Amino acid sequence: MTADRLGFLLARHGQTMKLRLREALSVCGLGPRHGAILLRLAQAGSISQQALLEALTVDASTLVAILNDLERDALTERRRDPTDRRRHIVEITPEGRSAACAVEHAVADVEREAFADLDAEEIAQLHTLLARVHVRPTTEPGAGTECAPGCAPE
Amino acid sequence: MTADRLGFLLARHGQTMKLRLREALSVCGLGPRHGAILLRLAQAGSISQQALLEALTVDASTLVAILNDLERDALTERRRDPTDRRRHIVEITPEGRSAACAVEHAVADVEREAFADLDAEEIAQLHTLLARVHVRPTTEPGAGTECAPGCAPE
DNA sequence: TATTGTTATACTCTATAACTATA
DNA sequence: TATAGTTATAGAGTATAACAATA
């Protein structure tokens, strides 16, 4: 069942993984993005909002909504950057660390099941390879080959 | 920048790939799912609607909408299975084959750019590994480890 | 009664554009 | 003027549930 383009395969499995993560994290009342942010913060303690934007590949307005949720639940806090009062720095709270721990467990469960057929080395390989795919387009849109002649429908 | 859970990484890159595929295929007036179905049909000629459901991991109602689009553009046709008139068999039309060719090119462009940092062998590895992740949950929901005590917020 | 396909609908996610504040 | 963040809103995608036809 590998009779599928790698691009489609990646898109499809990514979608499935997102759905599973959502289900697993719904126990904690969080979405996948919320979880990813909490884990980052649990590692780093505090991150600038800009850095989160780059790391998570989300729209700025989306990030605001997520941070509002987290702050409403007292899991994170935003404070102004003293050196540039336009910028926000996001910090994790003690409650946030507890939640991050829960997220860690939930994600680990999902991963254990999803990657059950791979051994540790293969999982590491997959991780490394995935980390090396380009997330952002490097060339201008439209730079590639156009649709072949006579291909366009309608 | 591998400081990320594999699950989150897969979900995020899958999302990005889907967006890129959508952009590339919009030239042909098709969505990613439309493209994936066309490629399948270009290979097999005809597939039962049930088989498409399993292969694409989409909801039945979603598939209906996609097939309606394809049929409206005269790229595919549905006919009843003579042996069981409840079932539909989806067939590709000549126009559909042309469109599939366009899809092939567009997807190849996206893949070339996204996997530019991987050599042919690594791409094949990634493909093989991805094909071996479990798409569907094998255990009942809730069978895994629950959130650690004191972890749940609010 | 169970299965296949369909329709209608509600819900979520995401992106777009306009607005505020700081620089 | 340009940047960081926010808000409101519209659009697309997906899932849920009820329905029709066939087995």
Side-chain angles (χ1 to χ4, degrees), chain A residues 107-150:
Chain A
V107 175
D109 284 342
V110 172
E111 288 177 343
R112 193 178 312 124
E113 187 188 300
F115 308 126
D117 282 357
L118 307 181
D119 61 35
E121 188 186 351
E122 289 170 327
I123 290 178
Q125 267 186 4
L126 178 58
H127 202 144
T128 304
L129 290 173
L130 269 184
R132 284 171 59 201
V133 318
H134 283 165
V135 174
R136 238 172 290 272
T138 55
T139 60
E140 285 301 306
T145 312
E146 280 301 318
C147 278

Side-chain angles (χ1 to χ4, degrees), chain B residues 1 3 18 33 35-36 44 52 59 64 71 73 76 78 80 97 102 115 117 128 144:
Chain B
M1 252 274 269
K18 193 176 77 175
R33 302 289 173 78
L52 280 178
D59 191 74
V64 169
E71 207 154 291
D73 290 344
T76 62
R78 271 176 283 199
R80 293 283 174 183
R97 290 198 179 273
F115 307 126
D117 283 357
T128 304

Side-chain angles (χ1 to χ4, degrees), chain A residues 3-5 8 151-153, chain B residues 25 28-47 52 56 63 66-67 69-71 73-77 90-104 107:
Chain A
D4 213 347
R5 276 282 186 176
F8 284 130
C151 275
Chain B
L25 293 180
C28 316
L30 300 171
R33 302 289 173 78
H34 301 70
I37 290 180
L38 276 182
L39 290 195
R40 291 246 163 196
L41 283 172
Q43 274 193 337
S46 70
I47 306 181
L52 280 178
L56 294 181
L63 179 61
I66 296 173
L67 290 178
D69 291 341
L70 291 174
E71 207 154 291
D73 290 344
L75 305 179
T76 62
E77 282 174 0
V90 185
E91 284 182 332
I92 192 168
T93 65
E95 293 96 327
R97 290 198 179 273
S98 305
C101 147
V103 168
E104 191 89 31
V107 175

